[in-house]
mmCIF file of all heavy atoms in Angstrom:
data_model
loop_
_atom_site.group_PDB
_atom_site.id
_atom_site.type_symbol
_atom_site.label_atom_id
_atom_site.label_comp_id
_atom_site.label_asym_id
_atom_site.label_seq_id
_atom_site.Cartn_x
_atom_site.Cartn_y
_atom_site.Cartn_z
ATOM 1 N N MET I 22 80.783 20.397 -55.084
ATOM 2 C CA MET I 22 80.470 21.458 -56.050
ATOM 3 C C MET I 22 80.372 20.855 -57.454
ATOM 4 O O MET I 22 81.189 20.051 -57.859
ATOM 5 C CB MET I 22 81.554 22.541 -55.996
ATOM 6 C CG MET I 22 81.236 23.730 -56.891
ATOM 7 S SD MET I 22 82.563 24.947 -56.877
ATOM 8 C CE MET I 22 82.022 25.976 -58.222
ATOM 9 N N ASN I 23 79.336 21.205 -58.190
ATOM 10 C CA ASN I 23 79.128 20.672 -59.533
ATOM 11 C C ASN I 23 79.636 21.661 -60.572
ATOM 12 O O ASN I 23 78.888 22.457 -61.131
ATOM 13 C CB ASN I 23 77.641 20.401 -59.744
ATOM 14 C CG ASN I 23 77.397 19.596 -60.996
ATOM 15 O OD1 ASN I 23 78.306 18.969 -61.515
ATOM 16 N ND2 ASN I 23 76.171 19.610 -61.473
ATOM 17 N N CYS I 24 80.939 21.594 -60.846
ATOM 18 C CA CYS I 24 81.546 22.537 -61.782
ATOM 19 C C CYS I 24 82.111 21.759 -62.959
ATOM 20 O O CYS I 24 82.902 20.833 -62.786
ATOM 21 C CB CYS I 24 82.661 23.316 -61.077
ATOM 22 S SG CYS I 24 83.349 24.634 -62.073
ATOM 23 N N HIS I 25 81.681 22.109 -64.162
ATOM 24 C CA HIS I 25 82.167 21.422 -65.365
ATOM 25 C C HIS I 25 83.418 22.112 -65.876
ATOM 26 O O HIS I 25 83.344 23.092 -66.610
ATOM 27 C CB HIS I 25 81.080 21.401 -66.442
ATOM 28 C CG HIS I 25 79.923 20.534 -66.073
ATOM 29 N ND1 HIS I 25 79.980 19.160 -66.140
ATOM 30 C CD2 HIS I 25 78.700 20.841 -65.604
ATOM 31 C CE1 HIS I 25 78.826 18.654 -65.736
ATOM 32 N NE2 HIS I 25 78.025 19.660 -65.393
ATOM 33 N N ALA I 26 84.569 21.608 -65.458
ATOM 34 C CA ALA I 26 85.831 22.224 -65.839
ATOM 35 C C ALA I 26 86.097 22.051 -67.327
ATOM 36 O O ALA I 26 86.046 20.943 -67.853
ATOM 37 C CB ALA I 26 86.968 21.597 -65.036
ATOM 38 N N ASN I 27 86.357 23.157 -68.000
ATOM 39 C CA ASN I 27 86.766 23.117 -69.405
ATOM 40 C C ASN I 27 88.292 23.003 -69.418
ATOM 41 O O ASN I 27 89.002 23.969 -69.147
ATOM 42 C CB ASN I 27 86.310 24.388 -70.118
ATOM 43 C CG ASN I 27 86.658 24.361 -71.595
ATOM 44 O OD1 ASN I 27 87.498 23.576 -72.038
ATOM 45 N ND2 ASN I 27 86.013 25.218 -72.358
ATOM 46 N N LYS I 28 88.786 21.795 -69.740
ATOM 47 C CA LYS I 28 90.221 21.528 -69.671
ATOM 48 C C LYS I 28 91.023 22.305 -70.721
ATOM 49 O O LYS I 28 92.248 22.300 -70.697
ATOM 50 C CB LYS I 28 90.487 20.024 -69.814
ATOM 51 C CG LYS I 28 89.862 19.181 -68.689
ATOM 52 C CD LYS I 28 90.524 19.493 -67.360
ATOM 53 C CE LYS I 28 89.883 18.769 -66.173
ATOM 54 N NZ LYS I 28 89.946 17.316 -66.242
ATOM 55 N N SER I 29 90.319 22.987 -71.607
ATOM 56 C CA SER I 29 91.000 23.814 -72.611
ATOM 57 C C SER I 29 91.231 25.230 -72.111
ATOM 58 O O SER I 29 91.939 26.010 -72.752
ATOM 59 C CB SER I 29 90.180 23.870 -73.901
ATOM 60 O OG SER I 29 90.070 22.588 -74.462
ATOM 61 N N ILE I 30 90.599 25.575 -70.964
ATOM 62 C CA ILE I 30 90.746 26.932 -70.436
ATOM 63 C C ILE I 30 91.225 26.864 -68.994
ATOM 64 O O ILE I 30 90.447 26.702 -68.061
ATOM 65 C CB ILE I 30 89.422 27.728 -70.506
ATOM 66 C CG1 ILE I 30 88.858 27.726 -71.927
ATOM 67 C CG2 ILE I 30 89.660 29.169 -70.034
ATOM 68 C CD1 ILE I 30 87.506 28.424 -72.050
ATOM 69 N N GLU I 31 92.543 26.959 -68.799
ATOM 70 C CA GLU I 31 93.100 27.029 -67.452
ATOM 71 C C GLU I 31 92.941 28.449 -66.935
ATOM 72 O O GLU I 31 93.102 29.418 -67.677
ATOM 73 C CB GLU I 31 94.588 26.657 -67.468
ATOM 74 C CG GLU I 31 94.836 25.186 -67.722
ATOM 75 C CD GLU I 31 96.321 24.860 -67.592
ATOM 76 O OE1 GLU I 31 97.051 25.106 -68.559
ATOM 77 O OE2 GLU I 31 96.719 24.385 -66.515
ATOM 78 N N CYS I 32 92.644 28.568 -65.646
ATOM 79 C CA CYS I 32 92.468 29.888 -65.048
ATOM 80 C C CYS I 32 92.722 29.810 -63.553
ATOM 81 O O CYS I 32 92.363 28.821 -62.913
ATOM 82 C CB CYS I 32 91.048 30.395 -65.320
ATOM 83 S SG CYS I 32 90.764 32.038 -64.622
ATOM 84 N N THR I 33 93.351 30.832 -63.009
ATOM 85 C CA THR I 33 93.660 30.860 -61.576
ATOM 86 C C THR I 33 92.879 31.947 -60.846
ATOM 87 O O THR I 33 93.147 32.213 -59.670
ATOM 88 C CB THR I 33 95.167 31.095 -61.358
ATOM 89 O OG1 THR I 33 95.525 32.343 -61.953
ATOM 90 C CG2 THR I 33 96.001 29.972 -61.970
ATOM 91 N N VAL I 34 91.921 32.555 -61.519
ATOM 92 C CA VAL I 34 91.157 33.646 -60.904
ATOM 93 C C VAL I 34 89.996 33.066 -60.090
ATOM 94 O O VAL I 34 88.865 32.962 -60.565
ATOM 95 C CB VAL I 34 90.642 34.628 -61.977
ATOM 96 C CG1 VAL I 34 90.003 35.840 -61.321
ATOM 97 C CG2 VAL I 34 91.780 35.078 -62.880
ATOM 98 N N SER I 35 90.295 32.682 -58.858
ATOM 99 C CA SER I 35 89.286 31.994 -58.036
ATOM 100 C C SER I 35 88.156 32.918 -57.598
ATOM 101 O O SER I 35 87.128 32.455 -57.113
ATOM 102 C CB SER I 35 89.960 31.369 -56.822
ATOM 103 O OG SER I 35 90.623 32.358 -56.066
ATOM 104 N N GLN I 36 88.344 34.221 -57.773
ATOM 105 C CA GLN I 36 87.296 35.178 -57.409
ATOM 106 C C GLN I 36 86.194 35.257 -58.462
ATOM 107 O O GLN I 36 85.173 35.912 -58.261
ATOM 108 C CB GLN I 36 87.897 36.586 -57.225
ATOM 109 C CG GLN I 36 88.874 36.688 -56.080
ATOM 110 C CD GLN I 36 90.290 36.232 -56.451
ATOM 111 O OE1 GLN I 36 90.550 35.797 -57.569
ATOM 112 N NE2 GLN I 36 91.203 36.345 -55.495
ATOM 113 N N CYS I 37 86.379 34.582 -59.587
ATOM 114 C CA CYS I 37 85.394 34.638 -60.671
ATOM 115 C C CYS I 37 84.290 33.605 -60.451
ATOM 116 O O CYS I 37 84.548 32.483 -60.005
ATOM 117 C CB CYS I 37 86.083 34.381 -62.013
ATOM 118 S SG CYS I 37 84.935 34.392 -63.415
ATOM 119 N N ALA I 38 83.073 33.968 -60.790
ATOM 120 C CA ALA I 38 81.915 33.087 -60.617
ATOM 121 C C ALA I 38 82.013 31.846 -61.496
ATOM 122 O O ALA I 38 81.397 30.824 -61.189
ATOM 123 C CB ALA I 38 80.644 33.853 -60.945
ATOM 124 N N TYR I 39 82.782 31.912 -62.578
ATOM 125 C CA TYR I 39 82.897 30.784 -63.518
ATOM 126 C C TYR I 39 84.096 29.895 -63.231
ATOM 127 O O TYR I 39 84.327 28.913 -63.927
ATOM 128 C CB TYR I 39 82.973 31.305 -64.953
ATOM 129 C CG TYR I 39 81.777 32.111 -65.356
ATOM 130 C CD1 TYR I 39 81.920 33.442 -65.764
ATOM 131 C CD2 TYR I 39 80.508 31.560 -65.334
ATOM 132 C CE1 TYR I 39 80.815 34.194 -66.128
ATOM 133 C CE2 TYR I 39 79.400 32.311 -65.694
ATOM 134 C CZ TYR I 39 79.561 33.630 -66.087
ATOM 135 O OH TYR I 39 78.462 34.375 -66.449
ATOM 136 N N HIS I 40 84.874 30.234 -62.195
ATOM 137 C CA HIS I 40 86.058 29.443 -61.860
ATOM 138 C C HIS I 40 85.661 28.174 -61.104
ATOM 139 O O HIS I 40 84.784 28.210 -60.233
ATOM 140 C CB HIS I 40 86.995 30.303 -60.987
ATOM 141 C CG HIS I 40 88.295 29.640 -60.668
ATOM 142 N ND1 HIS I 40 88.516 28.938 -59.507
ATOM 143 C CD2 HIS I 40 89.444 29.573 -61.384
ATOM 144 C CE1 HIS I 40 89.758 28.477 -59.508
ATOM 145 N NE2 HIS I 40 90.342 28.844 -60.637
ATOM 146 N N CYS I 41 86.283 27.047 -61.462
ATOM 147 C CA CYS I 41 86.074 25.800 -60.714
ATOM 148 C C CYS I 41 87.032 25.808 -59.530
ATOM 149 O O CYS I 41 88.230 25.576 -59.689
ATOM 150 C CB CYS I 41 86.351 24.594 -61.611
ATOM 151 S SG CYS I 41 85.092 24.343 -62.857
ATOM 152 N N SER I 42 86.518 26.059 -58.374
ATOM 153 C CA SER I 42 87.371 26.318 -57.209
ATOM 154 C C SER I 42 88.221 25.117 -56.805
ATOM 155 O O SER I 42 89.265 25.283 -56.182
ATOM 156 C CB SER I 42 86.522 26.782 -56.029
ATOM 157 O OG SER I 42 85.460 25.892 -55.799
ATOM 158 N N ASP I 43 87.787 23.900 -57.151
ATOM 159 C CA ASP I 43 88.564 22.718 -56.789
ATOM 160 C C ASP I 43 89.664 22.426 -57.804
ATOM 161 O O ASP I 43 90.513 21.571 -57.574
ATOM 162 C CB ASP I 43 87.655 21.494 -56.630
ATOM 163 C CG ASP I 43 86.758 21.289 -57.831
ATOM 164 O OD1 ASP I 43 86.591 22.253 -58.608
ATOM 165 O OD2 ASP I 43 86.239 20.178 -58.001
ATOM 166 N N ALA I 44 89.655 23.104 -58.923
ATOM 167 C CA ALA I 44 90.688 22.946 -59.944
ATOM 168 C C ALA I 44 90.853 24.277 -60.661
ATOM 169 O O ALA I 44 89.923 25.084 -60.698
ATOM 170 C CB ALA I 44 90.303 21.866 -60.942
ATOM 171 N N ASN I 45 92.036 24.512 -61.228
ATOM 172 C CA ASN I 45 92.272 25.793 -61.884
ATOM 173 C C ASN I 45 91.819 25.774 -63.337
ATOM 174 O O ASN I 45 92.625 25.862 -64.278
ATOM 175 C CB ASN I 45 93.750 26.175 -61.775
ATOM 176 C CG ASN I 45 94.055 26.771 -60.418
ATOM 177 O OD1 ASN I 45 93.189 27.369 -59.774
ATOM 178 N ND2 ASN I 45 95.278 26.601 -59.959
ATOM 179 N N PHE I 46 90.503 25.639 -63.509
ATOM 180 C CA PHE I 46 89.912 25.667 -64.834
ATOM 181 C C PHE I 46 88.672 26.552 -64.836
ATOM 182 O O PHE I 46 88.028 26.752 -63.802
ATOM 183 C CB PHE I 46 89.507 24.260 -65.295
ATOM 184 C CG PHE I 46 90.670 23.347 -65.545
ATOM 185 C CD1 PHE I 46 91.025 22.387 -64.625
ATOM 186 C CD2 PHE I 46 91.426 23.466 -66.707
ATOM 187 C CE1 PHE I 46 92.105 21.540 -64.837
ATOM 188 C CE2 PHE I 46 92.509 22.628 -66.935
ATOM 189 C CZ PHE I 46 92.844 21.668 -65.999
ATOM 190 N N CYS I 47 88.337 27.040 -66.023
ATOM 191 C CA CYS I 47 87.115 27.798 -66.242
ATOM 192 C C CYS I 47 85.983 26.815 -66.563
ATOM 193 O O CYS I 47 86.216 25.761 -67.144
ATOM 194 C CB CYS I 47 87.339 28.767 -67.403
ATOM 195 S SG CYS I 47 85.894 29.784 -67.788
ATOM 196 N N SER I 48 84.776 27.157 -66.204
ATOM 197 C CA SER I 48 83.639 26.278 -66.470
ATOM 198 C C SER I 48 82.876 26.663 -67.736
ATOM 199 O O SER I 48 81.953 25.951 -68.135
ATOM 200 C CB SER I 48 82.684 26.285 -65.276
ATOM 201 O OG SER I 48 82.177 27.589 -65.066
ATOM 202 N N LEU I 49 83.244 27.770 -68.347
ATOM 203 C CA LEU I 49 82.546 28.201 -69.564
ATOM 204 C C LEU I 49 83.010 27.394 -70.780
ATOM 205 O O LEU I 49 84.119 26.860 -70.800
ATOM 206 C CB LEU I 49 82.805 29.687 -69.817
ATOM 207 C CG LEU I 49 82.249 30.660 -68.774
ATOM 208 C CD1 LEU I 49 82.652 32.089 -69.128
ATOM 209 C CD2 LEU I 49 80.737 30.538 -68.676
ATOM 210 N N ASP I 50 82.156 27.295 -71.802
ATOM 211 C CA ASP I 50 82.531 26.630 -73.054
ATOM 212 C C ASP I 50 83.537 27.471 -73.834
ATOM 213 O O ASP I 50 84.378 26.940 -74.560
ATOM 214 C CB ASP I 50 81.300 26.422 -73.938
ATOM 215 C CG ASP I 50 80.378 25.367 -73.358
ATOM 216 O OD1 ASP I 50 80.861 24.532 -72.566
ATOM 217 O OD2 ASP I 50 79.190 25.387 -73.686
ATOM 218 N N ARG I 51 83.420 28.780 -73.683
ATOM 219 C CA ARG I 51 84.346 29.680 -74.359
ATOM 220 C C ARG I 51 84.405 30.974 -73.554
ATOM 221 O O ARG I 51 83.483 31.294 -72.796
ATOM 222 C CB ARG I 51 83.911 29.968 -75.791
ATOM 223 C CG ARG I 51 82.597 30.727 -75.877
ATOM 224 C CD ARG I 51 82.221 31.005 -77.317
ATOM 225 N NE ARG I 51 81.037 31.870 -77.379
ATOM 226 C CZ ARG I 51 80.443 32.221 -78.513
ATOM 227 N NH1 ARG I 51 80.913 31.803 -79.673
ATOM 228 N NH2 ARG I 51 79.386 32.996 -78.498
ATOM 229 N N ILE I 52 85.489 31.705 -73.727
ATOM 230 C CA ILE I 52 85.654 33.000 -73.064
ATOM 231 C C ILE I 52 86.058 34.026 -74.105
ATOM 232 O O ILE I 52 86.480 33.677 -75.213
ATOM 233 C CB ILE I 52 86.721 32.957 -71.941
ATOM 234 C CG1 ILE I 52 88.083 32.546 -72.506
ATOM 235 C CG2 ILE I 52 86.278 32.035 -70.808
ATOM 236 C CD1 ILE I 52 89.248 32.792 -71.555
ATOM 237 N N LEU I 53 85.939 35.274 -73.689
ATOM 238 C CA LEU I 53 86.389 36.370 -74.551
ATOM 239 C C LEU I 53 87.567 37.054 -73.871
ATOM 240 O O LEU I 53 87.466 37.474 -72.717
ATOM 241 C CB LEU I 53 85.252 37.382 -74.754
ATOM 242 C CG LEU I 53 85.618 38.644 -75.531
ATOM 243 C CD1 LEU I 53 85.981 38.303 -76.981
ATOM 244 C CD2 LEU I 53 84.461 39.635 -75.502
ATOM 245 N N VAL I 54 88.673 37.125 -74.569
ATOM 246 C CA VAL I 54 89.867 37.817 -74.062
ATOM 247 C C VAL I 54 90.009 39.136 -74.790
ATOM 248 O O VAL I 54 89.861 39.201 -76.016
ATOM 249 C CB VAL I 54 91.140 36.959 -74.261
ATOM 250 C CG1 VAL I 54 92.376 37.722 -73.811
ATOM 251 C CG2 VAL I 54 91.019 35.660 -73.489
ATOM 252 N N GLY I 55 90.250 40.188 -74.028
ATOM 253 C CA GLY I 55 90.415 41.511 -74.623
ATOM 254 C C GLY I 55 91.571 42.238 -73.976
ATOM 255 O O GLY I 55 92.393 41.639 -73.278
ATOM 256 N N THR I 56 91.617 43.525 -74.191
ATOM 257 C CA THR I 56 92.677 44.344 -73.611
ATOM 258 C C THR I 56 92.132 45.699 -73.197
ATOM 259 O O THR I 56 91.152 46.195 -73.777
ATOM 260 C CB THR I 56 93.849 44.541 -74.582
ATOM 261 O OG1 THR I 56 94.873 45.317 -73.939
ATOM 262 C CG2 THR I 56 93.417 45.274 -75.850
ATOM 263 N N HIS I 57 92.749 46.279 -72.165
ATOM 264 C CA HIS I 57 92.386 47.619 -71.721
ATOM 265 C C HIS I 57 93.421 48.635 -72.193
ATOM 266 O O HIS I 57 93.360 49.804 -71.803
ATOM 267 C CB HIS I 57 92.274 47.639 -70.192
ATOM 268 C CG HIS I 57 93.505 47.119 -69.511
ATOM 269 N ND1 HIS I 57 93.699 45.778 -69.258
ATOM 270 C CD2 HIS I 57 94.604 47.757 -69.083
ATOM 271 C CE1 HIS I 57 94.884 45.625 -68.675
ATOM 272 N NE2 HIS I 57 95.452 46.798 -68.572
ATOM 273 N N GLU I 58 94.367 48.175 -72.989
ATOM 274 C CA GLU I 58 95.441 49.047 -73.462
ATOM 275 C C GLU I 58 95.214 49.411 -74.933
ATOM 276 O O GLU I 58 94.635 48.636 -75.699
ATOM 277 C CB GLU I 58 96.798 48.322 -73.363
ATOM 278 C CG GLU I 58 97.144 47.822 -71.983
ATOM 279 C CD GLU I 58 97.690 48.915 -71.090
ATOM 280 O OE1 GLU I 58 98.041 49.992 -71.606
ATOM 281 O OE2 GLU I 58 97.774 48.680 -69.880
ATOM 282 N N ALA I 59 95.710 50.570 -75.314
ATOM 283 C CA ALA I 59 95.632 50.969 -76.718
ATOM 284 C C ALA I 59 96.632 50.183 -77.560
ATOM 285 O O ALA I 59 96.384 49.885 -78.727
ATOM 286 C CB ALA I 59 95.904 52.465 -76.852
ATOM 287 N N ASN I 60 97.766 49.841 -76.935
ATOM 288 C CA ASN I 60 98.818 49.128 -77.637
ATOM 289 C C ASN I 60 99.424 48.080 -76.716
ATOM 290 O O ASN I 60 100.490 48.301 -76.133
ATOM 291 C CB ASN I 60 99.888 50.119 -78.125
ATOM 292 C CG ASN I 60 100.939 49.444 -78.976
ATOM 293 O OD1 ASN I 60 100.685 48.400 -79.588
ATOM 294 N ND2 ASN I 60 102.131 50.007 -78.998
ATOM 295 N N PRO I 61 98.757 46.921 -76.526
ATOM 296 C CA PRO I 61 99.230 45.916 -75.561
ATOM 297 C C PRO I 61 100.609 45.380 -75.914
ATOM 298 O O PRO I 61 100.900 45.090 -77.076
ATOM 299 C CB PRO I 61 98.161 44.817 -75.649
ATOM 300 C CG PRO I 61 97.417 45.063 -76.910
ATOM 301 C CD PRO I 61 97.508 46.519 -77.197
ATOM 302 N N THR I 62 101.473 45.267 -74.879
ATOM 303 C CA THR I 62 102.846 44.819 -75.106
ATOM 304 C C THR I 62 103.238 43.630 -74.238
ATOM 305 O O THR I 62 104.305 43.056 -74.424
ATOM 306 C CB THR I 62 103.834 45.959 -74.807
ATOM 307 O OG1 THR I 62 103.582 46.426 -73.479
ATOM 308 C CG2 THR I 62 103.680 47.106 -75.801
ATOM 309 N N GLN I 63 102.432 43.268 -73.235
ATOM 310 C CA GLN I 63 102.770 42.131 -72.376
ATOM 311 C C GLN I 63 101.485 41.500 -71.850
ATOM 312 O O GLN I 63 100.400 42.059 -72.008
ATOM 313 C CB GLN I 63 103.680 42.584 -71.237
ATOM 314 C CG GLN I 63 103.183 43.795 -70.478
ATOM 315 C CD GLN I 63 104.203 44.302 -69.480
ATOM 316 O OE1 GLN I 63 105.084 43.572 -69.057
ATOM 317 N NE2 GLN I 63 104.079 45.558 -69.078
ATOM 318 N N ASP I 64 101.632 40.317 -71.217
ATOM 319 C CA ASP I 64 100.437 39.571 -70.806
ATOM 320 C C ASP I 64 99.565 40.353 -69.831
ATOM 321 O O ASP I 64 98.336 40.204 -69.831
ATOM 322 C CB ASP I 64 100.830 38.197 -70.223
ATOM 323 C CG ASP I 64 101.794 38.294 -69.048
ATOM 324 O OD1 ASP I 64 102.362 39.381 -68.837
ATOM 325 O OD2 ASP I 64 101.978 37.285 -68.362
ATOM 326 N N GLN I 65 100.178 41.221 -69.024
ATOM 327 C CA GLN I 65 99.399 42.006 -68.068
ATOM 328 C C GLN I 65 98.431 42.974 -68.742
ATOM 329 O O GLN I 65 97.556 43.531 -68.085
ATOM 330 C CB GLN I 65 100.328 42.819 -67.148
ATOM 331 C CG GLN I 65 101.109 41.978 -66.162
ATOM 332 C CD GLN I 65 102.485 41.620 -66.677
ATOM 333 O OE1 GLN I 65 102.662 41.460 -67.886
ATOM 334 N NE2 GLN I 65 103.449 41.489 -65.793
ATOM 335 N N CYS I 66 98.604 43.181 -70.032
ATOM 336 C CA CYS I 66 97.735 44.101 -70.769
ATOM 337 C C CYS I 66 96.428 43.438 -71.207
ATOM 338 O O CYS I 66 95.531 44.113 -71.688
ATOM 339 C CB CYS I 66 98.452 44.625 -72.014
ATOM 340 S SG CYS I 66 99.999 45.464 -71.665
ATOM 341 N N THR I 67 96.329 42.124 -71.040
ATOM 342 C CA THR I 67 95.140 41.417 -71.517
ATOM 343 C C THR I 67 94.204 41.092 -70.360
ATOM 344 O O THR I 67 94.625 40.978 -69.207
ATOM 345 C CB THR I 67 95.533 40.120 -72.239
ATOM 346 O OG1 THR I 67 96.150 39.233 -71.315
ATOM 347 C CG2 THR I 67 96.494 40.410 -73.381
ATOM 348 N N ASP I 68 92.943 40.951 -70.686
ATOM 349 C CA ASP I 68 91.919 40.705 -69.671
ATOM 350 C C ASP I 68 90.947 39.635 -70.151
ATOM 351 O O ASP I 68 90.661 39.539 -71.348
ATOM 352 C CB ASP I 68 91.097 41.979 -69.424
ATOM 353 C CG ASP I 68 91.958 43.176 -69.100
ATOM 354 O OD1 ASP I 68 92.529 43.195 -68.013
ATOM 355 O OD2 ASP I 68 92.051 44.066 -69.954
ATOM 356 N N CYS I 69 90.418 38.885 -69.177
ATOM 357 C CA CYS I 69 89.304 38.006 -69.484
ATOM 358 C C CYS I 69 88.032 38.843 -69.393
ATOM 359 O O CYS I 69 87.646 39.273 -68.303
ATOM 360 C CB CYS I 69 89.234 36.827 -68.524
ATOM 361 S SG CYS I 69 87.814 35.779 -68.877
ATOM 362 N N MET I 70 87.394 39.063 -70.528
ATOM 363 C CA MET I 70 86.197 39.898 -70.566
ATOM 364 C C MET I 70 84.958 39.122 -70.105
ATOM 365 O O MET I 70 83.889 39.698 -69.940
ATOM 366 C CB MET I 70 85.976 40.420 -71.991
ATOM 367 C CG MET I 70 87.213 41.021 -72.635
ATOM 368 S SD MET I 70 87.827 42.491 -71.808
ATOM 369 C CE MET I 70 86.760 43.726 -72.529
ATOM 370 N N SER I 71 85.117 37.816 -69.900
ATOM 371 C CA SER I 71 83.992 36.981 -69.446
ATOM 372 C C SER I 71 83.910 36.927 -67.919
ATOM 373 O O SER I 71 82.991 36.327 -67.370
ATOM 374 C CB SER I 71 84.133 35.566 -70.001
ATOM 375 O OG SER I 71 84.171 35.607 -71.418
ATOM 376 N N PHE I 72 84.867 37.548 -67.236
ATOM 377 C CA PHE I 72 84.901 37.546 -65.768
ATOM 378 C C PHE I 72 83.622 38.116 -65.182
ATOM 379 O O PHE I 72 83.113 39.148 -65.643
ATOM 380 C CB PHE I 72 86.096 38.378 -65.279
ATOM 381 C CG PHE I 72 86.105 38.592 -63.778
ATOM 382 C CD1 PHE I 72 86.699 37.668 -62.940
ATOM 383 C CD2 PHE I 72 85.514 39.724 -63.232
ATOM 384 C CE1 PHE I 72 86.708 37.869 -61.558
ATOM 385 C CE2 PHE I 72 85.524 39.930 -61.855
ATOM 386 C CZ PHE I 72 86.116 38.997 -61.031
ATOM 387 N N ARG I 73 83.101 37.387 -64.186
ATOM 388 C CA ARG I 73 81.990 37.920 -63.402
ATOM 389 C C ARG I 73 82.309 37.691 -61.938
ATOM 390 O O ARG I 73 82.758 36.609 -61.567
ATOM 391 C CB ARG I 73 80.673 37.198 -63.738
ATOM 392 C CG ARG I 73 80.148 37.463 -65.133
ATOM 393 C CD ARG I 73 79.643 38.891 -65.302
ATOM 394 N NE ARG I 73 79.212 39.165 -66.678
ATOM 395 C CZ ARG I 73 79.998 39.646 -67.630
ATOM 396 N NH1 ARG I 73 81.261 39.886 -67.365
ATOM 397 N NH2 ARG I 73 79.528 39.866 -68.839
ATOM 398 N N LYS I 74 82.068 38.699 -61.125
ATOM 399 C CA LYS I 74 82.358 38.594 -59.690
ATOM 400 C C LYS I 74 81.508 37.487 -59.057
ATOM 401 O O LYS I 74 80.342 37.349 -59.385
ATOM 402 C CB LYS I 74 82.078 39.927 -59.014
ATOM 403 C CG LYS I 74 82.617 40.025 -57.606
ATOM 404 C CD LYS I 74 82.331 41.428 -57.042
ATOM 405 C CE LYS I 74 82.936 41.594 -55.666
ATOM 406 N NZ LYS I 74 82.439 40.633 -54.694
ATOM 407 N N LYS I 75 82.140 36.724 -58.172
ATOM 408 C CA LYS I 75 81.436 35.656 -57.472
ATOM 409 C C LYS I 75 80.342 36.213 -56.594
ATOM 410 O O LYS I 75 80.534 37.247 -55.968
ATOM 411 C CB LYS I 75 82.438 34.896 -56.585
ATOM 412 C CG LYS I 75 82.353 33.404 -56.740
ATOM 413 C CD LYS I 75 83.442 32.757 -55.920
ATOM 414 C CE LYS I 75 83.922 31.502 -56.636
ATOM 415 N NZ LYS I 75 85.096 30.926 -55.993
HETATM 416 S S1 SF4 Z 18 85.477 33.626 -67.090
HETATM 417 FE FE1 SF4 Z 18 87.619 34.203 -67.323
HETATM 418 S S2 SF4 Z 18 88.292 34.828 -65.278
HETATM 419 FE FE2 SF4 Z 18 86.389 33.669 -65.054
HETATM 420 S S3 SF4 Z 18 87.056 31.567 -64.665
HETATM 421 FE FE3 SF4 Z 18 86.696 31.768 -66.869
HETATM 422 S S4 SF4 Z 18 88.712 32.297 -67.722
HETATM 423 FE FE4 SF4 Z 18 88.786 32.673 -65.517
#
């Protein structure tokens, strides 16, 4: 698989089209992180908005 792992972005979401399946890194140059909460209080409140289904 030809995946350019961005060593600055670790990720374990293997279901994402941008995930390097042989290593836990994202292949994008940059990602957008957001939230689905009005008032985020913990890590579970944040989301990778760059996620795309494989
Ligand atoms: S786009 Fe987001 S969810 Fe997908 S591999 Fe990159 S960091 Fe992970």
Side-chain angles (χ1 to χ4, degrees):
M22 185 183 169
N23 192 18
C24 187
H25 292 284
N27 183 343
K28 298 294 176 62
S29 297
I30 306 177
E31 289 185 279
C32 181
T33 60
V34 187
S35 58
Q36 296 83 358
C37 179
Y39 301 121
H40 185 265
C41 288
S42 52
D43 52 342
N45 280 332
F46 292 102
C47 180
S48 62
L49 295 177
D50 290 337
R51 65 179 187 184
I52 60 166
L53 175 65
V54 177
T56 182
H57 54 274
E58 303 280 346
N60 185 25
T62 55
Q63 50 187 338
D64 57 346
Q65 290 94 328
C66 302
T67 65
D68 307 290
C69 178
M70 312 296 277
S71 301
F72 172 87
R73 292 290 176 269
K74 192 178 184 301
K75 228 175 214 172

